[in-house]
Amino acid sequence: MKTALVTGGAGYIGSHCLKPLKAEGWDVVVVDNLSTGHKKAVTGFKLETGDIGDPDFLDKIFSSHTIDAVLHFAASAYVGESVQNPAKYYRNNVVNGLNLLTSMLRNGVKDLIFSSTCATYGNPTEIPITEKHSQTPVNPYGYTKMVFERMATDLARSSGLRPVFLRYFNAAGASDDGLIGEDHDPETHLIPLAIATALGLRGELTIFGDDYPTNDGTCVRDYIHISDLADAHMRALEYLRGGGEPTAFNLGNGEGYSVRQVIETVEKVSGKPVKVKMGARREGDPPTLIGSAEKARKVLGWQPKFPDLESIVKTAYKWHETNPNGYS
Ligand code: UFG
């Protein structure tokens, strides 16, 4: 049986890949330090609790399991926090990331799927953003993800590492079975915050700026369902195992929705009003981020099953309504 090591597998995106991996015949080993991840999200899977910054821990994992491929999600992932505390981001995402890469190579593991982001592009000079767009991040989070891509690309040349970089746009939604979903502490993302406001768990939602050069003045994002992201990971693994070359794929729906449209969609799905107040722009927010995932569609045969915002918000709403306190 082939075995996948999933770092950060107790987190939002990693945990949604576990079931699909199992369904595709993979044995799964999750590594997570549980600093932000949830044990409950790994129910039914092997969890090794530890930190990818610890070389001895990683070597022990690689020597006690025959790992065929690594899916690397473990990272710090708040844009705002990365501006306040860049050292944490360079340590967790770059230094510990390099530790994982060197441990993989020491143990003869070459196939890697990396959880990257559209934040590596910075402020777009063209919409939709393709993989050829320049990578000029506007915050430390984006830089750390870009540096990891660069390290892995150099190690591909020098040591035969085989990385595929998946650059997500805005991940949202929850698994169809309602068992796992989004639970960040603190929560900073628009969809869960709007839902929590609709459910009366929060007083009001602040819209961060309505003076952007967009249709209604609020920021536009390309939302992609978490299960569609998971499916892309399965296809990227298949691509690598079939001898595909190291490369990068954007993952988004190619459709932009403004903050106001997201709020209206949450109101429609929930049947409840979302109380809002206007606030200042949030530092580091590009006005519009919309991706072209044509390459993933062509090369991987990827076809999102949740192509519109309403279908994505429905799954998120179901999760938050059933689990108002998340996993706790
Ligand atoms: N927003 C609000 N009010 C809130 C929260 C968010 O108006 O209370 C706005 C933001 O300003 C932004 C939009 O809603 O315009 C979406 O914000 P999110 O925080 O949900 O998502 P981001 O676009 O900031 O971040 C996402 C991922 C990051 C990734 C980034 C790339 O979560 O990991 O996209 O830009 F780096």
Side-chain angles (χ1 to χ4, degrees), residues 24 112-114 131 162-168 228-252 292-305:
E24 303 262 325
L112 169 72
I113 308 290
F114 176 56
E131 293 82 358
R162 291 170 39 72
V164 165
F165 309 128
L166 299 181
R167 297 180 188 148
Y168 321 143
D228 287 326
L229 284 185
D231 180 47
H233 286 72
M234 300 310 116
R235 288 167 188 271
L237 258 183
E238 218 173 281
Y239 162 87
L240 263 187
R241 312 275 306 160
E245 288 299 309
T247 192
F249 295 103
N250 281 346
L251 299 176
S292 161
E294 278 315 300
K295 185 174 165 188
R297 287 173 190 269
K298 275 197 194 112
V299 178
L300 304 178
W302 181 62
Q303 182 70 45
K305 294 190 178 66

Side-chain angles (χ1 to χ4, degrees), residues 153-298:
T153 301
D154 288 339
L155 287 169
R157 286 197 200 101
S158 69
S159 317
L161 186 78
R162 291 170 39 72
V164 165
F165 309 128
L166 299 181
R167 297 180 188 148
Y168 321 143
F169 283 72
N170 284 51
S175 73
D176 241 353
D177 58 16
L179 295 178
I180 53 176
E182 190 165 11
D183 181 4
H184 294 115
D185 185 19
E187 189 53 80
T188 61
H189 295 103
L190 178 62
I191 292 178
L193 288 177
I195 291 175
T197 311
L199 289 171
L201 303 168
R202 281 177 181 262
E204 56 191 1
L205 176 80
T206 304
I207 296 178
F208 296 142
D210 66 351
D211 57 350
Y212 285 98
T214 59
N215 277 348
D216 63 17
T218 64
C219 286
V220 170
R221 294 289 180 272
D222 180 351
Y223 294 89
I224 180 74
H225 194 273
I226 192 85
S227 301
D228 287 326
L229 284 185
D231 180 47
H233 286 72
M234 300 310 116
R235 288 167 188 271
L237 258 183
E238 218 173 281
Y239 162 87
L240 263 187
R241 312 275 306 160
E245 288 299 309
T247 192
F249 295 103
N250 281 346
L251 299 176
N253 270 314
E255 199 69 51
Y257 295 93
S258 71
V259 172
R260 284 199 191 282
Q261 284 176 308
V262 170
I263 293 166
E264 280 161 19
T265 307
V266 168
E267 288 182 325
K268 182 174 173 203
V269 167
S270 64
K272 303 176 201 301
V274 174
K275 199 172 167 214
V276 296
K277 69 167 182 193
M278 280 315 307
R281 289 185 176 196
R282 188 173 68 176
E283 200 191 334
D285 270 345
T288 301
L289 288 173
I290 301 172
S292 161
E294 278 315 300
K295 185 174 165 188
R297 287 173 190 269
K298 275 197 194 112

